[in-house]
Amino acid sequence: MQFLNTWKDPASERLVYFSAQVIEVFERYIQGENDAEAGGILLGHVRGIHLEVLEATVPTRKDRRLKYFFERLVEGHKGIAERRWRESNGLVRYLGEWHTHPEDHPTPSGLDISEWQKLAAARRDGRPMLAVIVGRRDLRVEYSSSNGARLRLYHSSSGQ
Ligand SMILES: [Zn+2]
């Protein structure tokens, strides 16, 4: 199975493209029955209205032992985001986060939705944050805004 790499908001034609590295990370961490939830942050380029996601950070050793992803998101992963930003002269930036669910077709929990809203509010550039849930058979891809608005993206048939 291969997750699709191009996602689209049908109304605005906004695209989100995941690099091969990102898809590989998602597939490596597909959550089995006895696995802990995994996750990390998403880094890449903003290209006009589109996003190009170049890198998904992977869980640290410490992350993997903890049950809830959001409590530990800030630690560790934030340092990577700041390093990439500096190394790329500001071209590679924090775009959002990803985490796994042990569901075929994942849907966000109430906690996911409220945490996404908080993460969006914490962004310095005021952009919505990209939120990805990695299920067993499919991804859930959304934009979450600081005012609580959510926008779901869908597979793009034209992007393949
Ligand atoms: Zn979740």
Side-chain angles (χ1 to χ4, degrees):
M1 180 210 50
Q2 172 103 40
F3 291 132
L4 296 173
N5 64 4
T6 306
W7 293 68
K8 182 163 84 174
D9 167 31
S12 68
E13 303 270 294
R14 275 198 278 188
L15 295 174
V16 172
Y17 172 77
F18 297 110
S19 74
Q21 185 271 352
V22 173
I23 295 291
E24 187 274 321
V25 166
F26 290 166
E27 292 180 347
R28 197 188 328 152
Y29 286 95
I30 289 171
Q31 191 174 358
E33 217 53 70
N34 299 312
D35 296 332
E37 190 171 301
I41 61 173
L42 300 169
L43 300 163
H45 296 311
V46 176
R47 298 201 182 279
I49 61 170
H50 311 298
L51 294 184
E52 183 182 9
V53 186
L54 296 172
E55 181 177 358
T57 65
V58 299
T60 65
R61 211 173 274 266
K62 191 172 98 191
D63 286 344
R64 243 179 279 188
R65 295 201 201 95
L66 297 169
K67 193 165 163 67
Y68 296 106
F69 169 65
F70 293 113
E71 291 171 19
R72 73 221 180 220
L73 177 71
V74 175
E75 292 177 50
H77 297 272
K78 199 157 197 176
I80 298 173
E82 280 165 11
R83 205 155 59 239
R84 294 289 186 276
W85 168 270
R86 279 198 311 273
E87 287 166 357
S88 71
N89 293 318
L91 286 175
V92 173
R93 67 169 80 186
Y94 170 87
L95 300 176
E97 67 92 19
W98 68 276
H99 70 278
T100 58
H101 276 192
E103 300 176 276
D104 287 351
H105 301 279
T107 54
S109 66
L111 179 67
D112 290 337
I113 291 165
S114 67
E115 293 296 322
W116 288 344
Q117 188 177 347
K118 279 189 226 160
L119 291 169
R123 290 198 65 171
R124 285 177 223 151
D125 60 10
R127 291 172 180 275
M129 62 95 64
L130 180 66
V132 176
I133 303 174
V134 176
R136 290 174 175 153
R137 305 185 67 84
D138 204 0
L139 304 175
R140 175 81 176 215
V141 182
E142 295 196 9
Y143 279 113
S144 177
S145 299
S146 55
N147 65 6
R150 293 160 57 209
L151 179 68
R152 186 174 172 186
L153 285 86
Y154 295 88
H155 303 151
S156 170
S157 49
S158 61
Q160 293 305 297

